[in-house]
Amino acid sequence: MEFLIGEKLKQLRAEKKLSIAKLSSMSDVSTGLISQIERDLVVPSVTSLWRLSKALDVSIGYFFDETEPQENQMIIRKDAHQTIVMHHESSFYKLLHPNRPDRLLDMTIVTLKSGYTYDKKTLVHDGQECGYVLQGTLTVFLNGKDYILNPGDSIYFDSTLPHKYINNGDEDCVSIWAMTPKFF
């Protein structure tokens, strides 16, 4: 299921009394893209949405239909995981963590369709990431260098290094990721 985040973005921007141009300079997301997102003409990349979220001082989860956090939730059954679909169904993020306010990290299964990249721009943020490839091939562009990961390979790095994920392979890439601080 895709989410129409435009209305929420426009409403939050208005509440914070920000012009599109000001939000653009705060988030490093172009004014044209912000305008298109607000009119639900495009679905932003996770990176663009993360940049907008940080500039607006909300979590990415603000833009999705979140269930109320449950303090004692520990188990999510196999058919109950929230899945975020982005880039016109080119990438899927299955959230393996409960929606708890005391959560310190995110765990996700990321499916990146063949020929797609996580985002055109690299991402830099506080924290650390660890990924493990289950299927396909994943290229991690990290600090100016490509690292090619095959099934069974893992990578661990400081998220303050510029990074992005690319699937140059002929099949979908499925990987598991742990990230701090929480991203979603």
Side-chain angles (χ1 to χ4, degrees):
M1 140 172 68
E2 287 199 35
F3 299 91
L4 300 176
I5 63 164
E7 184 177 325
K8 287 185 176 181
L9 177 61
K10 189 174 185 175
Q11 179 182 2
L12 184 58
R13 183 177 60 77
E15 287 172 10
K16 295 193 178 262
K17 297 179 177 25
L18 296 172
S19 67
I20 288 178
K22 180 65 176 172
L23 180 56
S24 174
S25 71
M26 292 170 62
S27 65
D28 195 28
V29 175
S30 73
T31 57
L33 181 56
I34 293 170
S35 175
Q36 289 178 327
I37 294 168
E38 286 188 354
R39 293 179 287 144
D40 289 317
L41 298 176
V42 297
V43 176
S45 67
V46 168
T47 304
S48 294
L49 191 56
W50 180 82
R51 291 173 197 254
L52 290 166
S53 298
K54 289 298 173 199
L56 293 166
D57 198 30
V58 296
S59 73
I60 285 181
Y62 170 85
F63 296 103
F64 305 104
D65 294 328
E66 291 188 296
T67 57
E68 286 298 312
Q70 297 178 15
E71 297 289 337
N72 61 356
Q73 185 181 13
M74 295 186 335
I75 298 171
I76 303 172
R77 300 294 176 193
K78 68 179 178 178
D79 296 328
H81 293 93
Q82 181 181 13
T83 300
I84 299 171
V85 181
M86 302 294 285
H87 303 95
H88 304 289
E89 299 189 0
S90 66
S91 53
F92 302 81
Y93 304 85
K94 182 184 281 189
L95 307 183
L96 303 179
H97 54 265
N99 184 22
R100 293 172 50 144
D102 62 339
R103 189 179 85 243
L104 299 176
L105 65 89
D106 283 341
M107 286 288 299
T108 60
I109 295 178
V110 178
T111 301
L112 189 58
K113 295 287 189 178
S114 174
Y116 283 92
T117 182
Y118 189 72
D119 195 26
K120 291 180 179 151
K121 294 181 182 180
T122 56
L123 181 62
V124 174
H125 57 91
D126 290 332
Q128 299 176 341
E129 298 181 36
C130 183
Y132 178 83
V133 175
L134 298 167
Q135 169 190 317
T137 302
L138 181 67
T139 300
V140 178
F141 182 76
L142 178 63
N143 206 26
K145 185 175 178 191
D146 285 336
Y147 296 91
I148 298 171
L149 304 176
N150 295 300
D153 293 343
S154 62
I155 188 168
Y156 181 92
F157 59 91
D158 189 316
S159 303
T160 60
L161 298 173
H163 59 282
K164 68 179 175 179
Y165 310 104
I166 307 160
N167 181 356
N168 290 323
D170 295 332
E171 67 176 308
D172 294 351
C173 178
V174 179
S175 55
I176 277 187
W177 288 88
M179 297 166 275
T180 65
K182 48 187 184 179
F183 193 86
F184 290 98

